[in-house]
Amino acid sequence: MLIMTYAAKSLSALGGSVTRAATRTVTGVKDLIRAWVHRREVMQLGELDERGLKDIGLVRSDVEGALATSWLRDPSAVLSARSAQQQSAAARRREVGLRQAVTQPARPARAIEIACNA
């Protein structure tokens, strides 16, 4: 009876291990296919001219850098991270500009100064 208990526990543990291994394999294949599809889409972005890339907030080096990643990695994740960096940098520049505009007094244009002094 004791042997049957050990055998049942071993088989149930084996079933869980096989299930986890199969799940990891399927997930890995799905990620690989997704990376391959996204790589093809990023390669199509590389065919755009500089103006077209600028319209979507990218530069050629962003696309080339994304394609330089491993074939196992998703290049669109690299582009997404780069785009987020650029957006946050632009937001910081806007914030600094607004802060400076509020704290510095407005300076009249030279033509207005001349008209007032005349």
Side-chain angles (χ1 to χ4, degrees), residues 41-98:
E41 292 169 350
V42 171
M43 288 171 79
Q44 289 175 347
L45 285 177
E47 296 173 3
L48 292 175
D49 62 347
E50 300 302 323
R51 241 176 121 180
L53 288 172
K54 188 175 181 180
D55 283 346
I56 57 176
L58 297 173
V59 292
R60 179 123 353 250
S61 63
D62 294 338
V63 175
E64 291 170 356
L67 290 174
T69 61
S70 167
W71 280 90
L72 302 176
R73 287 195 56 204
D74 185 357
S76 64
V78 175
L79 286 180
S80 177
R82 179 69 178 143
S83 177
Q85 281 178 335
Q86 289 175 349
Q87 288 176 356
S88 64
R92 282 193 300 271
R93 285 193 303 270
R94 280 192 302 272
E95 185 179 319
V96 167
L98 287 173

Side-chain angles (χ1 to χ4, degrees), residues 17-32:
S17 298
V18 169
T19 303
R20 282 191 297 277
T23 303
R24 287 182 187 153
T25 301
V26 169
T27 303
V29 170
K30 276 181 23 182
D31 291 344
L32 186 63

